[in-house]
């Protein structure tokens, strides 16, 4: 594993890139022996500094849970990051493009928990019982590490490339709808760019949440009541430029719209 001073140095580099909206060289290019454990340690140092500075954690994101996303990134296993309260946007928001290093949009479902979830044997059924409602969500990806040649170590270190989340549509209880068959059409400036079905996320989007609870158990932690869990994208990421309007139609679960200025 990387030495603690190297982990702290990389975490500070990423924090500075977040402040300046810049991009740093790949961690794996500089430290080819860095492990997944190192990357979560880097993310943890960055997270704890943000919490100490007064930011409030509202949930977790899961990434790379679908074949579409794994093929788009060349990474073959899920990852996770944290979400802070100042990164959550309402439906219809105008979002400042300059606060990001780069912008891509993913189509997801968000699970809002009303009970804790913990492993080691958390199942899809445990997730459904612990979920108050599921709602459409768009994730704003924002990478602070150069994209070319990234590995999962780079992505995890960079808080799983999370930039923000737009919540919208019609929240529903898990027993109101077959979550596997939730579909979405993603538009940029009135042109359809991506489509997908939620079963693309590990055959059922709740499976990703169960995976996360079991992963947390390995670190002696759990998911808490009230947390929002982004279950992973079921479309490829869509690039966005300044001035673009993004619209996503989830059928009976409603729509989400936002604009980047």
């Amino acid at each position: 594993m990387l030495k603690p001073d190297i982990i702290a140095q990389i975490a500070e580099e990423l924090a500075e890139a977040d402040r300046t909206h810049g991009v740093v060289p790949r961690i794996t290019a500089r430290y080819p022996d860095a492990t997944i454990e190192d990357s979560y340690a880097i993310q943890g140092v960055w997270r704890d500094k943000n919490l100490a500075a007064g930011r409030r954690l509202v949930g977790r994101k899961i990434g790379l849970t679908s074949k579409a996303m794994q093929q788009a990134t060349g990474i073959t296993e899920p990852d996770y990051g944290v979400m802070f309260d100042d990164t959550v946007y309402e439906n219809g928001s105008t979002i400042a493009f300059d606060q990001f290093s780069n912008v891509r949009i993913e189509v997801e479902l968000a699970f809002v928990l009303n009970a804790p979830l913990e492993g080691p044997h958390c199942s899809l059924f445990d997730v459904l019982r612990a979920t108050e409602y599921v709602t459409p969500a768009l994730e704003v990806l924002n990478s602070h590490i150069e994209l070319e040649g990234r590995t999962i170590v780079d992505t995890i270190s960079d808080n799983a490339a999370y930039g923000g989340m737009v919540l919208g549509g019609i929240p529903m209880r898990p027993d109101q709808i077959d979550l596997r068959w939730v579909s979405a059409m993603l538009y940029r400036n009135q042109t359809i760019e991506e489509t997908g079905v939620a079963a693309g996320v590990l055959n059922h989007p709740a499976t990703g949440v169960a995976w996360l609870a079991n992963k947390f158990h390995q670190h002696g932690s759990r998911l808490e009541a009230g947390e929002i869990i982004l279950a992973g994208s079921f479309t490829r990421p869509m690039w966005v430029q300044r001035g673009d309007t993004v619209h996503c139609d989830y059928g009976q679960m409603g729509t989400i719209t936002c604009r980047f200025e």
Side-chain angles (χ1 to χ4, degrees):
M1 291 184 67
L2 297 178
K3 294 180 179 179
D5 60 330
I6 298 296
I7 288 173
Q9 170 203 316
I10 297 171
E12 182 52 40
E13 285 182 27
L14 292 169
E16 180 63 18
D18 191 29
R19 287 190 290 269
T20 62
H21 319 303
V23 175
V24 303
R26 280 187 297 119
I27 295 165
T28 49
R30 293 179 285 161
Y31 303 99
D33 295 330
T35 65
I36 287 179
E37 289 74 18
D38 291 323
S39 63
Y40 279 118
I42 293 165
Q43 184 190 124
V45 170
W46 175 87
R47 176 200 64 219
D48 291 346
K49 284 189 173 182
N50 278 276
L51 290 171
R55 298 180 82 183
R56 184 172 64 88
L57 191 148
V58 294
R60 321 280 175 164
K61 69 148 283 185
I62 312 168
L64 308 175
T65 51
S66 69
K67 289 294 184 183
M69 281 305 302
Q70 291 177 359
Q71 290 170 359
T73 60
I75 297 170
T76 58
E77 60 182 295
D79 62 4
Y80 65 85
V82 298
M83 305 188 299
F84 293 112
D85 58 337
D86 55 359
T87 66
V88 180
Y89 300 91
E90 294 181 357
N91 198 1
S93 290
T94 297
I95 302 172
F97 184 81
D98 285 341
Q99 68 181 304
F100 304 105
S101 303
N102 40 71
V103 177
R104 289 157 291 151
I105 293 291
E106 291 181 349
V107 174
E108 313 205 10
L109 291 175
F111 288 68
V112 180
L113 302 181
N114 61 10
L117 278 173
E118 57 185 318
H121 304 298
C122 182
S123 71
L124 179 150
F125 305 106
D126 295 323
V127 173
L128 296 178
R129 280 192 294 266
T131 298
E132 184 174 4
Y133 56 84
V134 180
T135 192
L138 297 179
E139 182 179 356
V140 182
L141 290 181
N142 181 36
S143 180
H144 301 106
I145 295 177
E146 59 183 352
L147 296 173
E148 187 68 29
R150 281 183 311 162
T151 72
I152 193 166
V153 169
D154 298 294
T155 305
I156 293 170
S157 301
D158 191 24
N159 195 34
Y162 173 78
M165 170 176 59
V166 186
L167 293 175
I170 302 170
M172 291 188 173
R173 296 189 311 274
D175 61 355
Q176 287 182 283
I177 189 170
D178 185 347
L179 293 171
R180 294 181 68 247
W181 283 102
V182 173
S183 58
M185 298 180 290
L186 180 64
Y187 295 79
R188 180 179 57 214
N189 302 329
Q190 293 78 52
T191 299
I192 191 164
E193 299 284 351
E194 294 288 341
T195 63
V197 179
V201 176
L202 299 171
N203 196 47
H204 193 296
T207 304
V209 183
W211 172 86
L212 183 60
N214 290 323
K215 194 75 172 177
F216 266 39
H217 176 77
Q218 299 175 17
H219 304 290
S221 187
R222 69 179 188 177
L223 304 177
E224 300 293 345
E227 288 197 52
I228 303 169
I229 311 297
L230 271 181
S233 180
F234 48 96
T235 66
R236 295 174 300 181
M238 180 183 76
W239 281 95
V240 171
Q241 303 299 324
R242 184 194 312 277
D244 284 348
T245 296
V246 175
H247 176 80
C248 193
D249 186 342
Y250 286 77
Q252 64 179 307
M253 291 196 78
T255 63
I256 302 177
T257 301
C258 61
R259 181 173 174 83
F260 289 84
E261 292 286 4

